[in-house]
Amino acid sequence: MSEPIRNKKLDMTAPTPQNTPANNAPISSHAQQPDVASIKEEDLDRVAAASIFAQNPKLVSMIQGKLGSLVGKSSGYIEALPAPVRRRVAGLKGVQKEHTKLEGEFQEEVLQLEKKYFAKFTPLYEKRAKIINGAAEPSEEEVKAGETEDEEDDDEDEAGAKSSAPSDSAANENISGIPEFWLSAMKNQISLAELITDRDEVALKSLTDIRMEYLEQPGFRLIFEFAPNEFFSNKAITKTYFYQEESGYGGDFIYDHAEGDKIDWLPNQDLTVKIESKKQRNKNTKQTRVVKKTVPTDSFFNFFNPPSAPKDDDDDDADASSDIEERLELDYQLGEDIKEKLIPRAVDWFTGEALRYEELDDELEEGDFEDEDDDEEDDLSDDRDEDDESEDEDDGSKPKPETAECKQS
């Protein structure tokens, strides 16, 4: 539904053969082919250039900016085409515009279809929340349907869960709902688990529901609902993802930015910071004092304080801009994972069954690629085998020399 993050609008004209000259090259050329010595000199030049670039990051940033400004610009090839051909190319661009218009309509209809079925999913999500929080119990039909699915899974897995299931007792009957449901589900979702610290877990145990809603404009909002806890007073914390008004190449929506709610932390309970203590000694009196400083720290709740996209005038610090771009990509992907994976199949993440499908997807993605090095090694090994066979044939026609004896003095 959406394209990767784009902070700068690029010229979306069709690419042209950048290295194709406008005029035909002459048949003969007086250029001299480099010999071995000159190639080695070029290699040394590359090493020297790499060393210079490593010591001058601003120079690298400037060169990257210059090269980036050349992307999409014509090399003169199209302009050098005969007039009738240029006219046909212009006609193809007109046809392409009609195609792009239909792609935009397609994406819009897909979005409306998603909203239509999301309205049908919503009552199921509401029932799920009631069962998790102990406000309702599942029906007999729902329990039987779930047990049937578990039995099918047990047949596939010999070590079924029933063999190790604890026996029911009076104490277990007093448990309300499913404790720590969302915390367990999030910890099984790899991208989210990496953000959750030990301190976060205590707060996330009070998480009662995670919901999603579509915006009137392209975008969506994630809603995290909490029971009263010792960390913050918010009953709900939201994060909203916005898309740009203009569609991207191919009609896809382009992610623009995200906004999170401010968390009302209770005194000394902010999980996104930590207090560092440092001793200082007075040079004159030799007395010491302890200075406490509040510094940012890793926490899942930083998710609600998303990074801002770099501005156009921030090009001076290329490393900082690159870091922000990576954080923006990660932030957007986390939102998509919660929207597309965690919320629709929360119970599968709670039980861990969703990990099977995640691993299968990873295997399929890895299977799409071939290791060219292995193929080259196979070819080399085949060549060696052929060489060995030819040597064996030659050896068969000649007497083998006797093995020299090892004489020790």
Side-chain angles (χ1 to χ4, degrees), residues 3-7 254-256 325 327-330 332:
E3 288 188 353
I5 301 167
R6 295 181 182 176
N7 295 314
I254 304 175
Y255 169 64
D256 188 69
E325 290 286 353
R327 291 171 58 197
L328 285 168
E329 290 281 357
L330 176 61
Y332 174 72

Side-chain angles (χ1 to χ4, degrees), residues 129 132-133 182 204-210 225-227 235:
I132 291 172
N133 297 304
W182 287 106
L204 291 174
K205 288 180 180 179
S206 62
L207 186 57
T208 59
D209 196 16
I210 301 178
E225 296 183 351
F226 292 87
K235 294 182 178 179

Side-chain angles (χ1 to χ4, degrees), residues 42 51 84 125 145 178 204 257 280 289 303 333:
E42 289 178 0
S51 176
Y125 296 153
I178 306 177
L204 291 174
H257 72 284
Q280 291 182 346
R289 66 174 182 175
F303 174 73
Q333 189 57 52

Side-chain angles (χ1 to χ4, degrees), residues 175 190 294 351 397:
I175 297 177
I190 299 174
T294 301
T351 62
S397 59

